[in-house]
Amino acid sequence: MGVLKQVLRYLKGTRDLKLIYTKPIDNQLTLVGYSDADYGGDRNARKSTTRNIFQIAGNTICWRSVKQRCVSTSAVGAEYIALSTTAKQQLWNTLNKLHIDISAAALNTDNNGSIDLTNNPRISDKSKHTY
């Protein structure tokens, strides 16, 4: 009962808040995704957590935080897996969930190693144990 009261108080206190979606001047909607991961955040299982967020017209439309299914051996590996998962989620949002015309999509991450590995997929001594 206490949780229900808390939810009702929250709804009453935020009823005047809203998201305003405006079309860009060029009428081109871009789905922007952001990806991040922590390296081995689960200290017991040593698994990393993938987090992503998607925005259209500067407003957040969905977000997700999920534990990765495998153990990464490096921070670059954890970020690379997160980037891959986010790209799949972005495709799913574009093709199945959103019923609007998306003209472009962008995917952002903060890890230079995973960006480099994505742009130049190769196997070397430094990257072969990354993922």
Side-chain angles (χ1 to χ4, degrees):
M1 196 60 165
V3 173
L4 179 62
K5 283 183 182 179
Q6 185 178 0
V7 169
L8 292 174
R9 277 190 218 114
Y10 172 78
L11 291 173
K12 182 180 178 186
T14 59
R15 67 178 174 221
D16 294 330
L17 298 178
K18 58 189 168 196
L19 294 175
I20 299 174
Y21 293 90
T22 57
K23 265 195 166 179
I25 296 170
D26 58 2
N27 286 333
Q28 305 261 333
L29 288 177
T30 302
L31 176 63
V32 181
Y34 297 92
S35 173
D36 196 19
D38 66 349
Y39 171 54
D42 181 346
R43 300 211 184 263
N44 295 324
R46 298 303 305 154
K47 292 186 177 180
S48 305
T49 302
T50 294
R51 294 176 186 89
N52 56 42
I53 186 169
F54 294 98
Q55 296 180 332
I56 291 180
N59 292 294
T60 300
I61 58 166
C62 66
W63 60 91
R64 185 176 186 211
S65 177
V66 63
K67 192 183 300 185
Q68 293 179 357
R69 290 188 273 161
C70 59
V71 177
S72 298
T73 58
S74 68
V76 172
E79 293 279 353
Y80 188 72
I81 291 167
L83 199 55
S84 172
T85 303
T86 303
K88 291 175 194 174
Q89 187 74 25
Q90 189 172 35
L91 282 172
W92 185 82
N93 279 332
T94 304
L95 299 175
N96 297 318
K97 193 174 177 185
L98 301 173
H99 301 289
I100 57 176
D101 216 7
I102 301 294
S103 58
L107 188 55
N108 301 291
T109 187
D110 61 353
N111 185 277
N112 288 333
S114 63
I115 292 169
D116 182 50
L117 200 55
T118 302
N119 291 328
N120 304 303
R122 64 194 174 282
I123 301 296
S124 69
D125 287 340
K126 290 183 180 180
S127 69
K128 67 181 176 185
H129 299 292
T130 300
Y131 45 91

